[in-house]
Amino acid sequence: MSTIVSEPADLIDVDSLLSQPERELRRSVRAFVDSEIRPHIAGWYDSAEFPRSLIPQMAELGLLGMHLHGYGCAGRSAVEYGLAALELDAGDSGIRTFVSVQGSLSMSAIHKFGSEEQKQEWLPQMAAGTAIGCFGLTEPNSGSDPGSMTTFAARDGDDWVLNGSKRWIGLASIASVAIVWAMTDDGVRGFVVPTSTPGFEATAITQKLSMRASIQCDVELTDVRLPASAMLPDARGLRAPFECLNEARYGIIWGVMGAARDSYLAALDYSAQRVPFGKPLSAYQLTQEKLVNMALEINKGTLLALHLGRLKDAGNLQPHQISVGKLNNCREAITVCREARSMLGGNGITLDYSPLRHANNLESVRTYEGTDEVHTLIIGNHVTGIAAFR
């Protein structure tokens, strides 16, 4: 007798590998997505609007800095954070990106490397959603090679003065605080920068074809003067921002499987309703092959995410393993979304259906927090022992 599993995209009962608290967390986030995101996301995407009204609700659910401990954070496990990322991304990658920028990048930087005063000042506000953070690493001419950044922090008496430009900085135009990475005479250092500081200017990037229900910005830093206490005391060199990036990359491993699952389910439902040549589209062999291939990749990718989450909770997750997950799951998810779009025919190019929106978003997700090429070279370095970045 076959086993009936609770998840319509779950061919192999991955659900049985989750604990009851993990399933309950997933259920609450999925209900939030179904009631608050899914009915409105097409309009937000079409009008290029980030729904700030969702922030208090996400804070109430404990989603902001949810994997961090203390300071008002929920202290959930890595797997629970991953499940939340998956469900949010099933709604839209832009919404999941908000949670990632807020928690895995901005809050994580303060939590990992900040002084106790910095933690007490910012983390409770950020967990409550009353203060928004952004993470300023990427520059107009420095994406995959952050070591070539030109933003510079110079000492002036007891103060620091920052000058430079950042690009593709999520949430910067609505943020209260920015984590800015700058070169100094002592190498790369991180700074906690209130965005009200004179000389800090963020401008939203418009006319995007991807991540339209999200905010990305250009940031200009012109003689931004900060006290010595603004420096993150325990952040030295590129290792510090890379640790934060790995937190975000981990969430992506899970998240993109949500976009893939939502696209698959849209195609599955559509194929059952569409009746070409006298029988449902789902009754044709070519359609079933496409659906099966999509479901296989979703199940494999979710298993990979879960395994990496268990490693992370045990303290054993390695950087190259994060790259394995990010490279594989982004690559397969975008293939699933594109295939799902093709099954919808001409209707698939409208916002009545989710796959093309997800596929367009994944063009950004596949690029940020490390391109396919960067993660390939990280894994290649692990496999061969040779760093081939140059």
Side-chain angles (χ1 to χ4, degrees), residues 100-150:
S100 179
V101 171
Q102 179 81 345
S104 293
L105 292 177
S106 307
M107 294 177 69
S108 179
I110 297 172
H111 197 274
K112 288 176 181 288
F113 306 115
S115 67
E116 186 60 28
E117 292 75 17
Q118 290 166 341
K119 295 174 187 179
Q120 293 286 356
E121 179 179 5
W122 289 109
L123 292 179
Q125 295 184 69
M126 297 173 82
T130 55
I132 306 304
C134 65
F135 188 87
L137 178 63
T138 298
E139 298 189 353
N141 296 307
S142 176
S144 296
D145 181 19
S148 66
M149 72 174 69
T150 58

Side-chain angles (χ1 to χ4, degrees), residues 145-305:
D145 181 19
S148 66
M149 72 174 69
T150 58
T151 297
F152 195 84
R155 290 303 300 262
D156 184 14
D158 291 334
D159 293 343
W160 290 95
V161 179
L162 274 62
N163 283 280
S165 300
K166 300 293 183 179
R167 184 162 172 83
W168 298 115
I169 308 307
L171 308 178
S173 61
I174 65 169
S176 303
V177 62
I179 307 302
V180 176
W181 302 93
M183 192 66 69
T184 72
D185 289 332
D186 191 32
V188 173
R189 302 300 298 264
F191 297 86
V192 179
V193 183
T195 58
S196 59
T197 307
F200 183 97
E201 182 178 0
T203 305
I205 298 170
T206 59
Q207 296 186 317
K208 297 179 296 179
L209 299 175
S210 176
M211 301 291 282
R212 290 178 56 79
S214 183
I215 299 172
Q216 289 78 38
C217 298
D218 288 314
V219 171
E220 291 294 329
L221 303 157
T222 306
D223 293 331
V224 174
R225 182 172 292 272
L226 302 169
S229 59
M231 178 181 280
L232 292 168
D234 295 328
R236 292 182 177 272
L238 285 173
R239 176 190 62 83
F242 283 163
E243 283 192 26
C244 301
L245 290 177
N246 275 336
E247 294 289 345
R249 290 165 174 172
Y250 167 76
I252 290 169
I253 296 168
W254 285 91
V256 294
M257 287 295 102
R261 187 195 70 197
D262 189 68
S263 297
Y264 163 77
L265 293 176
L268 180 63
D269 180 68
Y270 186 88
S271 67
Q273 304 300 321
R274 190 77 168 180
V275 184
F277 306 108
K279 64 179 181 180
L281 185 62
S282 58
Y284 290 91
Q285 291 181 8
L286 287 174
T287 299
Q288 292 193 7
E289 181 185 29
K290 292 176 181 179
L291 291 168
V292 167
N293 288 338
M294 287 190 281
L296 287 174
E297 294 308 324
I298 292 166
N299 278 256
K300 288 189 287 185
T302 305
L303 271 179
L304 174 58

Side-chain angles (χ1 to χ4, degrees), residues 11-165:
L11 299 179
I12 54 177
D13 201 10
V14 177
D15 198 55
S16 67
L17 303 177
L18 302 178
S19 68
Q20 187 62 29
E22 289 165 348
R23 287 194 290 269
E24 289 174 358
L25 182 279
R26 181 186 63 189
R27 187 180 305 114
S28 67
V29 179
R30 183 176 299 179
F32 167 71
V33 170
D34 286 343
S35 65
E36 305 300 325
I37 297 176
R38 203 175 295 280
H40 312 293
I41 187 58
W44 292 329
Y45 190 92
D46 190 41
S47 61
E49 175 189 356
F50 172 67
R52 296 180 65 174
S53 60
L54 296 180
I55 295 174
Q57 298 174 70
M58 289 190 279
E60 183 67 24
L61 284 169
L63 299 179
L64 307 184
M66 66 181 295
H67 60 301
L68 304 178
H69 293 266
Y71 308 99
C73 301
R76 306 302 288 257
S77 70
V79 168
E80 288 171 320
Y81 172 55
L83 289 166
L86 187 152
E87 296 302 330
L88 290 170
D89 224 315
D92 191 77
S93 295
I95 310 302
R96 196 267 310 148
T97 294
F98 167 78
V99 170
S100 179
V101 171
Q102 179 81 345
S104 293
L105 292 177
S106 307
M107 294 177 69
S108 179
I110 297 172
H111 197 274
K112 288 176 181 288
F113 306 115
S115 67
E116 186 60 28
E117 292 75 17
Q118 290 166 341
K119 295 174 187 179
Q120 293 286 356
E121 179 179 5
W122 289 109
L123 292 179
Q125 295 184 69
M126 297 173 82
T130 55
I132 306 304
C134 65
F135 188 87
L137 178 63
T138 298
E139 298 189 353
N141 296 307
S142 176
S144 296
D145 181 19
S148 66
M149 72 174 69
T150 58
T151 297
F152 195 84
R155 290 303 300 262
D156 184 14
D158 291 334
D159 293 343
W160 290 95
V161 179
L162 274 62
N163 283 280
S165 300

